[in-house]
Each structure stands twice: as structure tokens, then as C-alpha cells.
Amino acid sequence: MRIGIITIHNSTNYGASLQAWALYKFLVDCGFDCEVIDLHRPVHDDYIFSKRFTDYHGMCKEAQRFHLKKFIRTHIIKKKEPAGVAAREAKFTAFNGKIRLSRPYRSIDDLYAEPPAYDVYVTGSDQVWNPTQPFCIEPYFLTFVKDGNARKISYASSIGIESLTEREQADFKRWLGGYDVISVREAEGKALLEKLISKEVAQVADPTFLLGASYWQSIAKRPNVDGAYILCFKLYAGNHLVEYAAEIARRSGRKVIVLPEGKPVDGCEIVYDAGPEDYLGYIANADMLISDSFHANVFGILLGTKNQWAYISPDNKRGSRIVSLFKTFGLSDHFIRPNLSIAYSELDAAGKDLAGIGATVETVTLSARNFLLEALRS
């Protein structure tokens, strides 16, 4: 059985990179002949923009402007990145290079003209079905597949938002018609799709759970940090979370490590050169994780971080996925208030039930594996 995965891959985003690897590695370890369809996205320098395949909100045009700004910054102004960024990108290149890819598709038009042939096509996870993505999401519904006998499966696809426009609903309803098995990552996504289609929609865990906790612990690289530390992993714009972490550091007497970037704040050490294995190690060995990232919080759970707190800023429209995650693992009381008013003593006092969470991880992992293998073999 030949399997082709389409997902957000070849990325310098920790979560995207690790979730793509997890789904691919699990299938390969199960003995399947598997590869990831190498569809490039606007963030890649060689991407060819399409007139036919565009995103919903004009973000592709923004990406074109970003390419121009990047070229000017790199080749004309010759602005230097912070020390360590090049090393981080090299580590990502090496890690992502472990995945076997199809031939490259530098444009969506090319993919539809000459799609790769597999027995089974799998839409992978991450926010492949989020209509606010800065790229056209239609290919991630497998509408490019020409073989009517090929099996189509979605595994833990994420919509990432809580509502769809009328246009988006119509497109989703049409695009989902060809699937044999549909599963999503969040309860909100399941509820949205069940209103649109008559097919069963399952809710399953992020693909990182397929490999189990022990695998991630085995590849996590222990950081060279003396003493206890708090890890702040910030994805969204602004420096408020870093400044809050710095205040926590002052009150707790612990150092704060910040990944992957932020504006320098007294009491915080920003680490620019962390690759995927380093990222896992920083999370695994932290005394406390403070993050607005879905996948950072996933790995806080998988790696048994002593304590963790999630933050969803008031303007973050993608926060429902963390809410759903924390509900599953009994962490619904581990959210930092939007105004960042929660004191360190309150954070420290509310620990994690590591044994209970570990047992839930095992149950979730077994369920995820069984679901995917049954979907492939039905």
C-alpha cells in the first residue's frame, strides 16, 4: 500500500515540523510505503503564485510583498539576523530532511496538472483547513486526486477557528464529499463539519500522540542550562508574554528562557539557535512552561513538564484548540488570565497531576493509533 500525505511540512515552525514527522514516522514504522507530497507554500522562495488557486483573505498577495521585503532586507540592505538564527534553520533543514518527499510541486497548478499516484491519500494535521491561512487550502481537501478508486482519509485536520463564512461552508461541503474517512483534531471542528455534511466526523488526537511519550523523551536534547528555569515560548505578536515571564522570574528567583524569539527583557535569556530536538529538551526539562502555542502545550503534556500554563490573548482567534487540548487532560484551570494578572504564587501552587495525565496520554495514544490503522485498512 502506497500512502501520500499532504500537510504543512518543510517548515521552520516547531509544531508544524514535528507533527509532520510524527504522522510520517508512525506510518513508516507500521510498514507502509509512505511519503509526503512536497507542495510548496508562499513562504518558500521558489513558490509560484496562482491566479486560479488563491486564499480567502488576500494573504497570498501579502506573501508576495513579504518575498519582496525579504529580498530587499537580505540582498540590498543586508540586514543581519540575530546570532543563532542560521544555526536554527540548519537544524530544521536536517530534521525535515528525514522525511521522504514526492517530487516538488512549486505551484498548486502543477499539483493539479500532474498529481502523484498513491493507493491512499491522507490529509495530515495542523491547521490545514483553517480558511485564514496565508495560502490556498483547497489542495488539503485532496481535490487534486484523479484516481476515483484511491482511498481518501483526513487525520486530525484542524480548522482552528470557531465559525465559517457562507462561502467557506459551501466550499468545505463540496470538498469533503470525496473523503472515505474524516477526522479532525478539535471538538469545535467536529461540530462545525457535522452541521455541513452527513458523513461521520471523528475527533482524534494530534499526530504527535501517535508516537507516544517515550519516543519524544528519547529524542529531546537536554539543554545546557544551570539550575531550574521557566520556559516562555511565544508565537504571537507583541512582547507582553515575555514581559510577564520576566516579572515571574523576578518574583520566583528563577531564570527565564525564551524561545524562539522576542525583544530582550531583563531577566530573560532568548535562545535563537534551538532546533526541533533542542525545543523538546527545553520543554521537557523546564520547571514551568508558559506559552501561547498549541504544540508547545502538547509537548508539555507528552514530555511531562512539571507545570505548564497556557495563554490566549484577546485577539487570538485560534485559541479553541488549546482549550480543547487542556480539557482532555484535565488542565482547564491552567490558563493565564487575558490581562496577565495571575501571580507567580498562584501558578506555582496549582501543579499538574503528572500520573493522571500520563495515563490519559497512553489512552489517547492507543486510541489514535487504532483509529488511523483501521481507517487505512478498511
Side-chain angles (χ1 to χ4, degrees):
M1 180 188 293
R2 296 194 70 238
I3 300 175
I5 299 169
I6 188 164
T7 188
I8 298 172
H9 74 292
N10 192 19
S11 172
T12 54
N13 175 288
Y14 296 105
S17 176
L18 290 165
Q19 67 83 26
W21 168 247
L23 181 55
Y24 169 79
K25 179 172 172 54
F26 174 75
L27 293 176
V28 169
D29 287 352
C30 289
F32 295 107
D33 180 6
C34 180
E35 65 184 22
V36 170
I37 299 170
D38 190 18
L39 176 61
H40 293 199
R41 301 183 305 283
V43 295
H44 299 127
D45 290 337
D46 63 352
Y47 182 78
I48 301 172
F49 291 88
S50 171
K51 292 183 179 180
R52 174 187 171 192
F53 296 100
T54 60
D55 65 298
Y56 283 106
H57 302 286
M59 295 298 288
C60 283
K61 292 182 179 179
E62 277 297 317
Q64 286 178 297
R65 286 192 283 269
F66 171 79
H67 278 196
L68 178 59
K69 289 178 181 178
K70 182 180 178 182
F71 179 85
I72 293 171
R73 185 171 64 248
T74 304
H75 299 285
I76 299 177
I77 301 176
K78 296 183 178 179
K79 182 179 178 180
K80 290 184 178 181
E81 297 281 5
V85 171
R88 181 178 76 212
E89 291 181 351
K91 291 175 181 178
F92 266 105
T93 298
F95 186 86
N96 293 335
K98 297 189 293 183
I99 293 178
R100 194 177 92 194
L101 301 176
S102 72
R103 79 157 176 94
Y105 290 93
R106 296 183 176 85
S107 73
I108 298 176
D109 299 275
D110 187 18
L111 176 65
Y112 278 76
E114 297 183 12
Y118 306 102
D119 302 304
V120 180
Y121 295 79
V122 178
T123 297
S125 189
D126 219 356
Q127 296 186 71
V128 288
W129 289 350
N130 187 332
T132 68
Q133 288 283 25
F135 53 83
C136 177
I137 63 173
E138 180 177 346
Y140 298 89
F141 288 85
L142 302 176
T143 57
F144 59 86
V145 178
K146 293 182 178 180
D147 183 357
N149 295 317
R151 191 165 176 78
K152 296 181 183 179
I153 297 168
S154 78
Y155 180 79
S157 302
S158 176
I159 298 172
I161 57 176
E162 297 179 3
S163 63
L164 299 171
T165 66
E166 289 186 6
R167 177 190 169 193
E168 290 160 0
Q169 290 180 42
D171 286 342
F172 276 42
K173 185 174 182 179
R174 183 173 71 257
W175 294 339
L176 288 165
Y179 278 90
D180 297 284
V181 177
I182 299 173
S183 68
V184 293
R185 198 174 62 187
E186 288 90 30
E188 291 80 5
K190 174 180 166 69
L192 274 177
L193 296 189
E194 285 179 337
K195 294 177 182 178
L196 298 180
I197 59 176
S198 58
K199 293 182 179 181
E200 181 180 357
V201 179
Q203 182 188 357
V204 296
D206 187 83
T208 51
F209 286 93
L210 291 168
L211 296 181
S214 60
Y215 170 77
W216 297 113
Q217 291 162 0
S218 73
I219 70 167
K221 185 176 179 181
R222 189 175 187 88
N224 184 22
V225 179
D226 293 329
Y229 64 90
I230 295 169
L231 178 65
C232 177
F233 183 85
K234 177 190 78 74
L235 274 186
Y236 291 92
N239 217 44
H240 303 303
L241 197 59
V242 178
E243 292 167 353
Y244 173 72
E247 179 63 26
I248 292 298
R250 287 190 285 271
R251 293 181 179 277
S252 67
R254 296 175 183 172
K255 66 182 69 177
V256 170
I257 306 294
V258 177
L259 293 177
E261 57 189 45
K263 295 179 181 178
V265 175
D266 288 344
C268 296
E269 176 188 346
I270 301 174
V271 177
Y272 293 103
D273 65 351
E277 294 98 335
D278 303 311
Y279 161 86
L280 295 172
Y282 277 108
I283 292 174
N285 292 283
D287 255 27
M288 183 182 292
L289 168 67
I290 295 174
S291 183
D292 58 4
S293 158
F294 172 79
H295 275 110
N297 281 295
V298 164
F299 284 111
I301 290 166
L302 282 168
L303 294 166
T305 306
K306 293 177 184 177
N307 202 348
Q308 70 185 98
W309 289 82
Y311 176 66
I312 300 175
S313 66
D315 58 347
N316 181 357
K317 305 302 182 183
R318 302 181 179 189
S320 62
R321 54 197 178 134
I322 305 179
V323 173
S324 183
L325 174 74
F326 272 28
K327 183 178 180 181
T328 299
F329 291 95
L331 291 169
S332 294
D333 58 346
H334 276 241
F335 284 94
I336 298 171
R337 288 187 284 272
N339 63 0
L340 296 169
S341 62
I342 189 167
Y344 170 73
S345 57
E346 190 176 341
L347 298 181
D348 193 45
K352 286 169 62 180
D353 176 10
L354 293 175
I357 290 172
T360 303
V361 167
E362 292 183 5
T363 300
V364 168
T365 293
L366 181 61
S367 176
R369 290 171 175 173
N370 289 341
F371 175 88
L372 181 54
L373 291 176
E374 183 178 348
L376 290 168
R377 292 167 176 162
S378 295

